[in-house]
Amino acid sequence: MIAFLTSSPNGRYRETDHRSIVPLNPENGFTDKLKKYWKNEANGLLLSAMPDLTEINDNICASMKETFTASGFSVGRLGVCDSRDISPVQRLSDYDFLILGGGHVPTQNAFFEKISLRKALQKYDGIVIGISAGTMNSARIVYAQPEEAGESIDPAYQKYLNGLDITGINILPHYQAVKDDILDGRRLFEDITYADSYGHKFYAIVDGSYLLVENGEQTLYGEAYLISDGQIRQVCKVGESLPLGHRP
């Protein structure tokens, strides 16, 4: 398996009109590296973060296919795995690439658990492309950074979940857009995420940056920040890479 775990592979969160077709972002060598593994007329599967929003999933699927085509990537068919049909998980070998869609992390995590995706991925040897929530759920143990109103103050909210075990790294996407967010009257990062970082490591990345898991080696590409033990520091810049060791 080759995994490209992105913040956003195209466009910028809260800035891009997703009704338009936005080509893949070539920053930090993303498209060049993806082309190394891409097959002609590649068949793909979108694994949704919103399993019950079937019409939206169909629209995302059509848009993503046009995005790849507009970026010079040949696509055969692109299917959807959501609440209508979970059977594609039983035949992942039929697909050259998988897209782990963006959305609400706990909702997607519960769906992935229901369809036993973690187990199915153990024998998959194609390309995995994570987008936002899909990237976050790719970790062995997921840090589900609170996102919706009430989550950060709900004592029953589970911040740590079992993930897909594609990587041992916790990625926080869209840092350029969400770093100043206020949730439940508190600063999302300074008051919530920094406090959760004691004993943990979170890598906050901007759109255009990504984590590549290639032959087990984990490497960050592009602008990224390490949050750990209540502190933050920049560890990688645009055009740079940071090896993070072999996947345990």
Side-chain angles (χ1 to χ4, degrees), residues 32-244:
D32 288 340
K33 289 180 174 57
L34 184 58
K35 285 176 181 177
K36 287 173 50 180
Y37 300 100
W38 199 263
K39 295 181 179 179
N40 186 48
E41 290 293 299
N43 294 318
L45 179 67
L46 170 66
L47 294 127
S48 176
M50 305 169 287
D52 296 327
L53 302 182
T54 56
E55 183 177 351
I56 292 177
N57 292 334
D58 287 342
N59 291 336
I60 291 173
C61 184
S63 175
M64 287 303 301
K65 185 172 183 178
E66 290 191 52
T67 287
F68 282 107
T69 301
S71 305
F73 290 83
S74 174
V75 178
R77 57 186 173 88
L78 181 56
V80 178
C81 178
D82 59 19
S83 59
R84 290 170 295 187
D85 183 12
I86 64 172
S87 64
V89 174
Q90 305 304 318
R91 51 179 193 277
L92 290 185
S93 61
D94 291 348
Y95 301 97
D96 302 304
F97 69 98
L98 308 176
I99 300 174
L100 309 177
H104 186 236
V105 173
T107 300
Q108 185 184 55
N109 186 276
F111 179 58
F112 286 175
E113 181 71 20
K114 176 182 177 180
I115 65 178
S116 301
L117 181 59
R118 178 173 177 160
K119 182 178 180 180
L121 283 171
Q122 291 176 358
K123 296 182 179 180
Y124 182 69
D125 63 358
I127 300 168
V128 173
I129 301 172
I131 302 174
S132 191
T135 288
M136 295 172 75
N137 275 316
S138 295
R140 177 177 296 109
I141 300 298
V142 178
Y143 170 59
Q145 184 185 43
E147 176 183 359
E148 297 186 350
E151 288 181 342
S152 74
I153 55 176
D154 181 358
Y157 180 75
Q158 296 184 42
K159 291 182 179 178
Y160 295 95
L161 307 165
N162 289 322
L164 297 178
D165 197 17
I166 295 173
T167 178
I169 306 298
N170 288 117
I171 297 293
L172 302 180
H174 314 307
Y175 183 65
Q176 86 288 343
V178 303
K179 60 186 179 67
D180 295 320
D181 278 7
I182 303 296
L183 181 67
D184 301 323
R186 296 187 294 167
R187 297 172 296 178
L188 176 60
F189 278 85
E190 290 86 345
D191 301 326
I192 300 173
T193 304
Y194 287 15
D196 292 337
S197 73
Y198 284 90
H200 300 278
K201 290 182 178 181
F202 308 140
Y203 288 89
I205 66 174
V206 303
D207 294 347
S209 299
Y210 59 97
L211 176 71
L212 176 62
V213 184
E214 185 178 30
N215 300 320
E217 294 298 325
Q218 305 171 119
T219 306
L220 267 177
Y221 289 88
E223 185 178 342
Y225 301 81
L226 173 61
I227 301 172
S228 184
D229 294 332
Q231 303 291 324
I232 187 171
R233 62 184 177 90
Q234 186 168 4
V235 292
C236 199
K237 298 179 180 180
V238 175
E240 295 181 349
S241 63
L242 176 68
L244 294 178

